[in-house]
Amino acid sequence: MVRFEAYFSLRCVRRGATLLDAVAPLCAEIRAEHGLLMTDLGIEGLWEWASDGTDGRGAEVVGQLLLMAAERGPLLGYSVDDLVRFLRTAAVG
């Protein structure tokens, strides 16, 4: 556990093929074991984009946005399948 200003935070050191491959199972594990939804990667400037690969700043921003969608989508009535379908339909390539 790391202290970030007045808050406690976690630092993910789990390995994965990409940042998202490492973070996703950790979030699922924390949710299953503790009932907590991990919706924050600590990214303050979501508008600050960097096209620097699957483990850089851009990946952190994408991860943050996906975690936010995973939390907020169900609050609006969307299922995980709805969100996945949206991504598959809207994604380029």
Side-chain angles (χ1 to χ4, degrees):
M1 189 167 317
V2 179
R3 193 156 185 94
F4 180 73
E5 296 180 8
Y7 306 98
F8 289 106
S9 64
L10 299 174
R11 182 169 179 263
C12 180
V13 293
R14 188 173 289 192
R15 294 189 182 271
T18 67
L19 175 79
L20 296 181
D21 290 330
V23 170
L26 177 62
C27 290
E29 183 180 315
I30 292 169
R31 184 186 68 247
E33 291 184 19
H34 305 285
L36 297 172
L37 212 68
M38 303 301 292
T39 59
D40 190 352
L41 289 178
I43 305 300
E44 297 299 322
L46 294 172
W47 57 90
E48 296 173 358
W49 177 247
S51 182
D52 56 356
T54 57
D55 293 318
R57 171 75 177 170
E60 292 174 353
V61 171
V62 166
Q64 178 73 43
L65 292 169
L66 289 170
L67 286 172
M68 290 170 67
E71 175 198 24
R72 296 175 186 184
L75 296 174
L76 298 171
Y78 292 113
S79 68
V80 171
D81 289 337
D82 293 331
L83 298 174
V84 170
R85 186 172 46 256
F86 172 81
L87 286 172
R88 287 197 173 151
T89 301
V92 176

